[in-house]
């Protein structure tokens, strides 16, 4: 009898505790409608939060079922979005800055990673380019309308030069190294992993110039101008990214391994880029200023056909991120 | 597994103590955690203020002016760098933001140095303006990060307080549950066990020796029950021998009583029993005005039989007579040896005719049931006197005396006959 009573009491206690836990976590038990979404993910370690999210099934608890379309570079991802091939894409702030000039109706939902050292200037040791001023008259390979071009023009401008003082050769991101090895150009401005590939390929025959302070590259979740349903989807994608980013902060080694496996990268490469990466969700004033300053710079240097720089704030949609992590949104509404 | 009450109370006390300690530790722990979160928030605020100052300096002054002294700003940034080094311990999420701030601070410093090194003498105004904007942008980014840092710290404080409240409430609920459960359990054990012991004592008192069967097992009450049961066992053994003793005494008394009221030869009631019963019957008749008849039988020529066949055969004659008489009387009648060869039958509720009938039956039966001596049948007869209670009789002895007179008359008239008392002969 006593053991019966004890058992019943224990069960009652467990029910009370369970009820309490259930009450405080009620939201987790609410079933959500699952949307199928496609995301054009640029094949770079900057997309780590997406790879980690997939690996740890971070989207399982959200309202979306996510399918990735692998693309090379943020520009390609952007185009996929604008063509309507995918719902979302991952694009750098440079792409956003340049594309904002063409007044395309797109928005940024969240920045999920930033690096202050993603784009590098590579020259041949033999050319003895010690300063940007030495680039004058040289053939430089860049990717048009991207951070690559922006960094080059900034570097040149610091020394009082413009892109007109060099011979620009435009390449697709993956072809920069090829152009460099074929000696079509004297210098290239690639981003990772192409800078690392070049270093692996040419070793001490090249110089990797310090461009660290000149740009902050961020990767952002973009979509076409969003209606409320698309915002809802974006919210769920961001929820998954939020989970993934917290995982990266607490499990850096495992996260590195996930990216290495996903992109078939060498550990040396990850160790090379990882310290420059800051994974965090955000939509802040600096992003807008960054986009704006790059747009202004583009207008004033190369894209003079666009006389007006639009208000960058219109390319930011904070509705989704505000629902996930309001603290990460720091822009005037 | 059985626990003693003492162990249960200890366990109960230790559990309560443990929960109390858990509560205190949790409060201390949460104090520490909240303090840390407050430190983080304070730190985030400092970072925010400092960044604002750095930004203000850049905005308010012309950093490209030839007379611009960068030392003040650098000193300020140096202080800022030191502040970043004094960051309290951070969660992974906060550390990510801290890394971002540190990294961007380096960039700011680097960019500032690039700008101020040679005042960008080759650069045009566009790049100057652009780089200044970039500097401000980076400071803005630090500002955003510090705001986020502060918000997360604040959120953490709220979350910790919420969790702590849940934890404390849970612990208190658990303590309360254990307290109530323990108290009820102990009260139940005490009450039921004491009730069972009391009931056993009461039953003992009324002579029903019963073992204590405890429904709640506890070492202490079990020991009391065992001691009681052992005592009870001994008591019941002693009590059983007393009872059997009483029984034996009663049996013996009954045997003795029987012996004292029985004639040793014929095994019928003796003279003492006769008078005891006779007096009782006489009293009853007197009281109820009922009827009572007395038959007195005397064995004829008994002395001659004794002389002729021996005393042993004489005894057999008497035994046979008793057997015959007992066979002919009613259940309510009383047969006794009056003395020698004389016997008396008391016939309650019987009139003279009834007594005569009985006497005749006895004569007939005696004639039919003779006994043998060395193969030869020896017949015996009886002389019978009958008397019924009349008003004249004052006691039982007078009744017997009249019956004796009637018997004597039978003897006088030739023996083997029945005589009743004539009115005038009545005592």
């Amino acid at each position: 009898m006593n053991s019966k009573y004890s058992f019943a009491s224990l069960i009652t206690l467990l029910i009370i505790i369970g009820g309490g836990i259930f009450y405080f976590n009620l939201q987790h038990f609410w079933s959500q409608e699952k949307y199928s979404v496609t995301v054009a993910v640029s094949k770079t370690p900057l997309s780590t939060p997406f790879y980690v999210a997939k690996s740890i099934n971070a989207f399982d608890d959200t309202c979306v079922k996510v399918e990735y379309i692998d693309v090379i570079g943020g520009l390609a991802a952007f185009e996929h979005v604008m063509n309507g091939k995918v719902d979302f894409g991952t694009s750098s702030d440079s792409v956003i800055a340049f594309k904002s000039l063409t007044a395309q109706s797109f928005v940024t939902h969240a920045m999920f990673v930033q690096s202050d050292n993603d784009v590098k200037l590579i020259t041949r040791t033999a050319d003895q380019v010690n300063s940007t001023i030495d680039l004058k008259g040289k053939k430089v390979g860049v990717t048009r309308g991207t951070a690559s071009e922006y960094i080059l023009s900034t570097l040149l401008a610091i020394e009082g030069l413009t892109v007109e003082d060099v011979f620009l050769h435009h390449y697709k991101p993956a072809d920069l190294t090829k152009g460099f090895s074929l000696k079509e150009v004297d210098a290239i401005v690639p981003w990772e992993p192409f800078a690392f590939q070049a270093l692996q390929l040419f070793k001490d025959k090249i110089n990797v110039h310090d461009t660290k302070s000149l740009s902050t590259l961020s990767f952002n979740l973009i979509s076409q101008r969003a209606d409320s349903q698309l915002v809802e989807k974006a919210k769920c994608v961001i929820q998954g990214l939020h989970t993934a980013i917290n995982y990266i902060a607490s499990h850096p080694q495992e996260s590195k391994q996930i990216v290495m496996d996903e992109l078939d990268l060498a550990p040396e490469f990850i160790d090379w880029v990882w310290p420059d990466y800051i994974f965090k969700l955000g939509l802040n004033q600096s992003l807008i200023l960054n986009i704006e300053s790059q747009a202004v710079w583009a207008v004033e240097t190369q894209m003079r056909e666009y006389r007006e720089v639009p208000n960058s704030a219109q390319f930011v949609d904070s509705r989704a991120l505000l629902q996930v992590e309001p603290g990460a949104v720091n822009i005037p509404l | 597994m059985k626990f003693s009450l003492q162990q249960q109370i200890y366990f109960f006390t230790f559990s309560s103590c443990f929960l109390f300690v858990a509560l205190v530790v949790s409060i201390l722990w949460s104090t520490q955690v909240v303090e840390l979160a407050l430190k983080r928030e304070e730190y985030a605020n400092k970072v925010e203020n400092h960044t604002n100052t750095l930004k203000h300096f850049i905005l308010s002054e012309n950093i490209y002016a030839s007379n611009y002294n960068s030392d003040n700003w650098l000193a300020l940034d140096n202080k800022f760098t030191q502040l970043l080094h004094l960051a309290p311990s951070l969660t992974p999420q906060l550390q990510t933001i801290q890394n971002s701030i540190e990294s961007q601070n380096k960039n700011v410093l680097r960019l500032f140095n690039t700008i101020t090194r040679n005042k960008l003498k080759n650069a045009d105004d566009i790049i100057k303006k652009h780089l200044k904007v970039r500097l401000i942008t980076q400071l803005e980014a630090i500002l955003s990060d510090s705001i986020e840092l502060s918000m997360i710290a604040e959120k953490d404080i709220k979350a910790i307080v919420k969790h702590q409240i849940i934890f404390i409430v849970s612990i208190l609920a658990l303590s309360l549950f254990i307290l109530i459960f323990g108290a009820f359990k102990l009260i139940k054990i005490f009450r039921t066990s004491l009730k069972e012991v009391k009931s056993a004592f009461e039953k003992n008192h009324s002579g029903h020796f019963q073992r204590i069967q405890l429904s709640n097992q506890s070492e202490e009450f079990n020991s009391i029950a065992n001691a009681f049961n052992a005592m009870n066992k001994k008591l019941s053994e002693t009590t059983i021998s007393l009872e059997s003793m009483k029984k034996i005494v009663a049996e013996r008394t009954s045997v003795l009583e029987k012996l004292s009221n029985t004639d040793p030869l014929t095994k019928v009631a003796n003279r003492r029993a006769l008078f005891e019963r006779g007096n009782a019957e006489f009293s009853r008749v007197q009281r109820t005005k009922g009827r009572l008849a007395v038959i007195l039988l005397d064995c004829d020529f008994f002395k001659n039989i004794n002389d002729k066949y021996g005393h042993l055969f004489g005894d057999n004659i008497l035994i046979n007579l008793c057997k015959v008489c007992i066979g002919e009387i009613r259940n309510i009648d009383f047969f006794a040896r009056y003395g020698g060869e004389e016997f008396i039958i008391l016939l309650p509720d019987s009139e003279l005719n009834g007594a005569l009938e009985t006497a005749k039956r006895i004569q007939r039966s005696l004639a039919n049931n003779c006994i043998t001596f060395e193969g030869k049948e020896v017949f015996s007869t009886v002389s019978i006197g009958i008397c019924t209670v009349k008003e004249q009789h004052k006691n039982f002895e007078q009744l017997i005396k009249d019956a004796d007179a009637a018997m004597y008359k039978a003897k006088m008239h030739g023996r083997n006959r029945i005589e009743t008392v004539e009115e005038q002969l009545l005592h």
Side-chain angles (χ1 to χ4, degrees):
Chain A
M1 280 297 266
N2 277 343
S3 67
K4 243 184 188 178
Y5 278 128
S6 306
F7 184 69
S9 306
L10 189 70
I11 293 290
T12 314
L13 185 70
L14 287 177
I15 289 170
I16 292 168
I17 293 171
I21 294 167
F22 181 77
Y23 173 77
F24 286 109
N25 297 279
L26 202 59
Q27 284 174 330
H28 287 286
F29 293 89
W30 287 348
S31 59
Q32 289 176 312
E33 195 189 340
K34 284 262 179 193
Y35 300 109
S36 280
V37 298
T38 45
V39 184
V41 179
S42 180
K43 283 191 81 173
T44 148
L46 288 163
S47 301
T48 295
F50 276 93
Y51 301 132
V52 170
K54 190 168 87 175
S55 177
I56 65 168
N57 301 318
F59 294 114
D60 283 2
D61 295 333
T62 72
C63 71
V64 286
K65 202 173 150 227
V66 181
E67 190 194 336
Y68 296 161
I69 309 280
D70 288 335
V71 293
I72 306 290
L75 188 60
F78 185 91
E79 276 159 6
H80 270 70
V81 169
M82 295 322 289
N83 293 340
K85 285 183 185 166
V86 292
D87 298 303
F88 299 99
T90 62
S91 284
S92 70
D93 48 2
S94 306
V95 172
I96 293 167
F98 282 94
K99 291 295 178 184
S100 71
L101 295 174
T102 59
Q104 298 195 52
S105 58
F106 69 93
V107 285
T108 304
H109 295 283
M111 173 182 84
F112 54 84
V113 64
Q114 62 189 79
S115 165
D116 49 22
N117 198 23
D118 197 58
V119 183
K120 280 125 188 167
L121 169 66
I122 293 173
T123 59
R124 290 194 186 81
T125 318
D127 290 342
Q128 293 189 330
V129 175
N130 299 319
S131 160
T132 327
I133 203 156
D134 300 328
L135 282 177
K136 194 172 180 181
K138 301 261 193 247
K139 289 173 281 183
V140 184
V142 292
T143 305
R144 182 195 279 276
T146 64
S148 158
E149 198 171 354
Y150 168 72
I151 291 281
L152 176 69
S153 53
T154 310
L155 284 170
L156 291 170
I158 286 170
E159 297 302 333
L161 302 174
T162 68
V163 283
E164 284 155 11
D165 293 315
V166 295
F167 298 102
L168 279 185
H169 286 244
H170 292 120
Y171 290 97
K172 283 183 182 167
D175 295 337
L176 279 167
T177 321
K178 194 176 154 199
F180 187 67
S181 66
L182 292 173
K183 297 198 175 172
E184 290 169 1
V185 286
D186 304 311
I188 50 169
V189 190
W191 56 69
E192 297 299 347
F194 307 114
F196 178 76
Q197 283 172 7
L199 188 68
Q200 293 292 91
L201 204 61
F202 305 109
K203 298 213 165 34
D204 55 352
K205 287 180 184 162
I206 56 167
N207 271 344
V208 178
H209 295 265
D210 180 15
T211 60
K212 200 169 166 66
S213 61
L214 291 176
S215 79
T216 301
L217 172 78
S218 64
F219 246 47
N220 307 273
L221 181 71
I222 60 153
S223 76
Q224 292 190 20
R225 197 161 290 283
D227 56 17
S228 58
Q229 196 190 40
L230 197 58
V231 169
E232 179 69 13
K233 289 178 186 173
K235 182 195 87 177
C236 297
V237 174
I238 292 169
Q239 277 173 342
L241 291 178
H242 181 64
T243 310
I245 285 169
N246 284 343
Y247 180 84
I248 294 167
S250 50
H251 301 87
Q253 291 310 319
E254 290 87 338
S255 305
K256 279 185 188 179
Q257 194 58 51
I258 290 167
V259 186
M260 282 192 280
D261 295 344
E262 184 68 35
L263 299 177
D264 196 18
L265 301 171
E268 295 81 15
F269 171 62
I270 286 295
D271 291 339
W272 163 264
V273 292
W274 199 265
D276 297 327
Y277 289 173
I278 298 163
F279 297 103
K280 70 182 196 66
L281 286 170
L283 266 184
N284 49 35
Q285 197 58 24
S286 75
L287 176 71
I288 294 174
L289 290 175
N290 211 6
I291 292 169
E292 217 158 62
S293 65
Q294 288 187 64
V296 168
W297 178 245
V299 167
E300 289 177 353
T301 54
Q302 324 138 41
M303 301 166 82
R304 295 211 165 101
E305 65 269 30
Y306 302 107
R307 295 312 311 165
E308 263 184 55
V309 175
N311 177 13
S312 301
Q314 65 176 292
F315 300 107
V316 174
D317 190 336
S318 61
R319 286 177 290 171
L321 186 58
L322 272 173
Q323 293 178 61
V324 181
E325 212 185 345
V329 180
N330 186 26
I331 49 169
L333 295 169
Chain B
M1 202 171 167
K2 233 192 272 177
F3 291 105
S4 71
L5 269 180
Q6 198 181 5
Q7 280 171 328
Q8 287 188 38
I9 292 170
Y10 278 147
F11 178 73
F12 175 62
T13 313
F14 282 131
S15 310
S16 300
C17 285
F18 174 75
L19 288 171
F20 180 75
V21 169
L23 204 64
V24 171
V25 168
S26 130
I27 290 169
L28 288 176
W29 175 81
S30 58
T31 313
Q32 294 282 317
V33 175
V34 168
E35 205 173 303
L36 183 62
L38 284 172
K39 267 188 196 168
R40 287 171 184 159
E41 197 190 17
E42 190 191 355
Y43 166 76
N45 289 336
K46 275 187 190 168
V47 171
E48 189 183 339
N49 291 339
H50 218 110
T51 317
N52 263 328
T53 316
L54 285 169
K55 189 177 139 194
H56 177 74
F57 266 69
I58 300 289
L59 282 172
S60 60
E61 294 188 41
N62 180 9
I63 54 171
Y64 295 111
S66 55
N67 60 349
Y68 176 72
N69 186 358
S70 61
D71 292 347
N72 287 343
W73 193 91
L74 285 172
L76 206 61
D77 192 72
N78 192 35
K79 268 191 184 175
F80 185 60
T81 312
Q82 281 172 10
L83 174 68
L84 294 181
H85 287 149
L86 294 173
S89 80
L90 300 166
T91 61
Q93 197 185 2
L94 291 174
Q95 191 60 49
T96 307
I97 300 168
Q98 167 76 2
N99 293 345
S100 164
I101 294 172
E102 280 177 0
S103 170
Q104 290 185 94
N105 181 45
K106 280 179 197 159
N107 286 348
V108 164
L109 190 61
R110 196 188 273 259
L111 194 59
F112 186 81
N113 283 331
T114 310
I115 290 169
T116 55
R117 197 184 306 127
N118 54 8
K119 311 287 185 205
L120 300 182
K121 57 183 184 207
N122 297 328
D124 58 14
D125 284 346
I126 297 169
I127 186 69
K128 278 181 182 171
K129 193 179 151 203
H130 175 76
L131 290 183
K132 189 173 175 180
V133 168
R134 173 151 184 83
L135 200 60
I136 292 163
T137 306
Q138 297 232 320
L139 285 167
E140 196 65 50
I142 295 174
L143 208 57
S144 300
D145 284 349
S146 60
I147 290 168
E148 196 179 344
L149 205 64
S150 168
M151 282 184 82
I152 292 173
E154 207 174 301
K155 212 169 96 185
D156 283 352
I157 293 171
K158 282 182 188 165
I160 290 161
V161 170
K162 186 184 163 188
H163 280 129
Q164 203 51 35
I165 287 171
I166 293 170
F167 183 72
I168 288 171
V169 168
S170 308
I171 291 275
L172 282 176
L174 194 68
S175 309
L176 201 67
F177 175 80
I178 289 179
L179 205 69
I180 292 170
F181 178 77
F184 270 97
K185 196 171 155 57
L186 286 178
I187 286 171
K188 196 184 160 201
I189 290 173
F190 269 106
R191 281 181 67 174
T192 49
S193 302
L194 285 174
K195 204 174 159 188
E196 281 157 3
V197 170
K198 190 185 161 198
S199 139
F201 270 106
E202 281 171 355
K203 284 194 175 152
N204 239 21
H205 187 68
S206 58
H208 299 285
F209 297 103
Q210 207 175 34
R211 286 176 62 82
I212 299 180
Q213 294 286 354
L214 293 171
S215 42
N216 289 298
Q217 299 298 322
S218 64
E219 207 176 87
E220 289 79 0
F221 278 103
N222 280 355
S223 69
I224 291 175
N226 290 341
F228 179 86
N229 291 340
M231 178 192 80
N232 236 7
K233 200 181 167 195
K234 278 197 173 177
L235 264 177
S236 65
E237 279 169 10
T238 320
T239 313
I240 285 166
S241 37
L242 243 171
E243 270 191 355
S244 56
M245 193 70 84
K246 268 187 189 171
K247 207 176 163 188
I248 290 164
V249 168
E251 277 172 6
R252 293 284 160 89
T253 309
S254 152
V255 168
L256 283 173
E257 269 178 4
K258 214 174 174 186
L259 278 175
S260 70
N261 290 327
T262 308
D263 174 55
L265 174 67
T266 58
K267 310 290 181 206
V268 299
N270 60 13
R271 188 186 175 88
R272 202 182 74 83
L274 170 71
F275 276 90
E276 199 174 297
R277 179 74 181 266
N279 283 324
E281 287 292 335
F282 190 82
S283 298
R284 185 183 61 78
V285 168
Q286 293 264 301
R287 203 169 56 249
T288 61
K289 305 291 177 197
R291 292 167 297 187
L292 174 67
V294 172
I295 299 174
L296 201 155
L297 308 100
D298 186 276
C299 198
D300 294 334
F301 304 110
F302 188 65
K303 193 175 176 298
N304 296 347
I305 292 169
N306 271 344
D307 293 343
K308 192 174 177 183
Y309 300 106
H311 283 278
L312 207 59
F313 187 75
D315 289 346
N316 285 341
I317 286 287
L318 292 181
I319 291 165
N320 183 52
L321 175 61
C322 287
K323 198 178 154 192
V324 166
C325 287
I326 287 166
E328 295 304 329
I329 62 172
R330 300 170 303 169
N331 282 340
I332 56 164
D333 298 341
F334 185 79
F335 179 71
R337 188 177 180 186
Y338 183 52
E341 64 274 26
E342 286 182 339
F343 296 87
I344 283 181
I345 303 166
L346 299 179
L347 300 105
D349 292 328
S350 185
E351 289 180 358
L352 187 62
N353 286 340
L356 272 171
E357 282 304 311
T358 305
K360 283 176 190 169
R361 279 202 312 275
I362 290 168
Q363 274 188 324
R364 278 197 299 274
S365 181
L366 192 63
N368 293 331
N369 291 291
C370 60
I371 53 170
T372 55
F373 181 79
E374 294 173 352
K376 190 184 164 190
E377 287 183 331
V378 177
F379 291 93
S380 62
T381 59
V382 283
S383 297
I384 299 172
I386 299 174
C387 180
T388 57
V389 175
K390 296 286 187 300
E391 283 177 4
Q392 293 88 332
H393 292 123
K394 298 296 174 209
N395 54 39
F396 182 59
E397 281 81 7
Q398 287 179 356
L399 188 63
I400 289 177
K401 203 173 175 183
D402 284 347
D404 192 47
M407 188 274 289
Y408 186 74
K409 199 166 86 181
K411 291 265 187 201
M412 289 296 110
H413 289 171
R415 294 186 174 84
N416 192 21
R417 52 183 286 127
I418 304 163
E419 289 292 341
T420 58
V421 177
E422 291 165 14
E423 285 296 321
Q424 65 270 31
L425 283 175
L426 282 172
H427 190 82

